[in-house]
Amino acid sequence: MVNRLWQKLSHLGVLENEHEQKREVILLNKIGVFAILLILCFIPIEIILNGFELVPVELISAVIFSSILLLNSFRFHTAAKYFSIISGALLILISSFVVGGESDSEYNLLPVFLLPLLFFRNFIHITLLSLFVAACFFYLKFSISETTPLVEIPIEVRKKVQPFMNLMTMMFLFFELYYFKKLNLSFEKNLSRQKLLVEQKNHEITSSIKYAKRIQSAILPPNKLVKEFLSNSFILYKPKDIVAGDFYWLEHKEGKVLFAAADCTGHGVPGAMVSVVCNNGLNRSVREYGLTEPGKILNKTREIVIAEFEKSEEEVKDGMDIALCSLSVSSSSGAYRELQYAGANNPLWIIRSHHAELDSASEKENNKEQIPNQVRNDEYELIEIKADKQPIGKYAENKPYTTHKIELQKGDSIYIFTDGYADQFGGEKSKKFKAANFKKLLLSIQEKPMEEQKIIIDQTFKDWKGNLEQIDDVCIIGVRI
């Protein structure tokens, strides 16, 4: 019963979610209750030794400490802290005026002097309150003896009362330090338990995500398959998290090699879940419906993805941006000669030497019409085929995706990618890398083999990012004809 009442009074005004203040509020409540108990125990001693003259002062002291509990119960925690320190110091000061300065009452301020350190973290608050208590101490020590006491207490009575006052001061000091240490240990144990629980949960979640990575890796084409159909190529794949919303895709159908770089909504686990749906849509479009033209594949994939998400009771607007290519083998040379491309927000870049010769005048004319967006250096030009400005997924107005056809030349380099590389923040001013710098980088490394290009592109990304966080998944596919 007593313990239950003690716990209830100690937790007045405590909010479980306010971990920063919880410890201070409990300690302040305990000090308030303990002070009231000490005063009530001292009143009978006061009456026996000195009569009823100072009982009103003791009762006023009890009321003041009760006010601390009242302030905390209304959750005026900061006000209660200030009130406990200022009123405690003033109470001892006023008591000294009442009984005179011969009682060494300045030492009763020692427990009050500790309170700013126990209740506050802000250096200015601690300093100001400590200076206030110190000023009261020195005033009592050097000036109070000159004042005339309001109540005359015989020296014999003072000598009898003083040991009890000293005992109360020592008990108060012990109580403050004991419960401060006890509460600290309790909170440290609780913190350790919470830390252990968080670590266990984190381990479980991480293990689940790592297993999800194995599943996601299973839907990505293996390197052996990529090299079988795209021997002179590279894939730079850098998930932001363990699993990714970006993925690459490859399929061989009717003499055509289909490959894509896709960026699904989000990254991490949500992005990875969307990527499974979108990857399945691409597979079904080719394997189940037999499509090989990029524009038609994207049309069917969009239809499948929307149908899958419509099964949800809540509206799902997720989807993906993608660049999808189809390489056809020339029947005469056995080399890849025609490239078909369709894109949902993600473009295609082709880098070609200025010295490359087209087979015919009509071919030159066709390429001028189809590939007007060019960036050049002294040796190479970068030709950009823009994507349709609509994602794979729900959109305001869904239109058929455009299939672009480009005649390739020997030595042409093809690049498709997601937006994570160009959007990465870094450099001296922590700005985005941007597509323009990405184009310049690709143009500058055309003399390098594709695998070496991958290393340079990756290292440039790391150097640019520096110590900043990777903001998105990165997926880049490069193919040289």
Side-chain angles (χ1 to χ4, degrees), residues 71 103 158 161 175 185 218 221 239 250 280 364 397 453 457:
L71 285 170
S103 61
R158 285 178 185 272
V161 172
F175 183 87
L185 289 173
L250 185 141
N280 177 62
K364 289 181 181 179
E397 184 181 356
Q453 285 191 24
I457 293 169

Side-chain angles (χ1 to χ4, degrees), residues 63-94:
V63 170
I64 287 173
F65 282 107
S66 299
S67 300
I68 296 171
L69 300 178
L70 187 65
L71 285 170
N72 270 339
S73 68
F74 287 104
R75 300 194 177 94
F76 297 131
H77 302 315
T78 304
K81 294 175 189 177
Y82 276 104
F83 182 78
S84 65
I85 297 166
I86 295 171
S87 64
L90 291 177
L91 188 62
I92 294 170
L93 196 64
I94 293 167

Side-chain angles (χ1 to χ4, degrees), residues 15 105 162 166 170 192 195 221 240 295 330 422 455:
L15 293 175
S105 57
Q162 193 59 45
N166 293 339
M170 295 301 295
S192 298
K195 183 183 176 183
K240 178 187 183 298
S330 171
I455 295 170

Side-chain angles (χ1 to χ4, degrees), residues 252 254-257 327-338:
H252 183 250
E254 297 175 4
K256 296 181 178 180
V257 178
L327 281 173
S328 300
V329 179
S330 171
S331 56
S332 57
S333 64
Y336 294 127
R337 292 306 301 266
E338 183 183 76

Side-chain angles (χ1 to χ4, degrees), residues 63-212:
V63 170
I64 287 173
F65 282 107
S66 299
S67 300
I68 296 171
L69 300 178
L70 187 65
L71 285 170
N72 270 339
S73 68
F74 287 104
R75 300 194 177 94
F76 297 131
H77 302 315
T78 304
K81 294 175 189 177
Y82 276 104
F83 182 78
S84 65
I85 297 166
I86 295 171
S87 64
L90 291 177
L91 188 62
I92 294 170
L93 196 64
I94 293 167
S95 299
S96 299
F97 275 110
V98 173
V99 299
E102 301 297 328
S103 61
D104 293 329
S105 57
E106 65 270 15
Y107 295 106
N108 296 335
L109 284 167
L110 292 177
V112 182
F113 192 78
L114 281 178
L115 295 181
L117 295 170
L118 301 181
F119 292 153
F120 292 96
R121 293 183 176 87
N122 185 284
F123 177 77
I124 295 175
H125 290 179
I126 293 171
T127 303
L128 291 176
L129 289 168
S130 298
L131 287 173
F132 171 74
V133 179
C136 293
F137 176 88
F138 287 112
Y139 180 79
L140 291 175
K141 183 71 176 173
F142 299 108
S143 301
I144 194 69
S145 58
E146 299 175 4
T147 62
T148 304
L150 299 178
V151 178
E152 287 291 343
I153 300 176
I155 294 175
E156 297 78 13
V157 175
R158 285 178 185 272
K159 289 180 178 179
K160 291 178 182 178
V161 172
Q162 193 59 45
F164 292 102
M165 294 295 296
N166 293 339
L167 179 62
M168 286 178 63
T169 300
M170 295 301 295
M171 288 175 66
F172 210 92
L173 271 171
F174 173 80
F175 183 87
E176 282 182 349
L177 296 174
Y178 172 76
Y179 271 100
F180 179 73
K181 183 178 180 180
K182 186 176 179 180
L183 282 171
N184 271 348
L185 289 173
S186 175
F187 272 79
E188 284 173 8
K189 287 180 181 178
N190 188 43
L191 190 63
S192 298
R193 284 196 297 268
Q194 289 179 346
K195 183 183 176 183
L196 182 62
L197 182 62
V198 169
E199 286 175 351
Q200 289 174 343
K201 292 293 182 184
N202 183 60
H203 177 72
E204 292 171 7
I205 292 168
T206 304
S207 297
S208 298
I209 294 173
K210 285 181 178 178
Y211 190 78

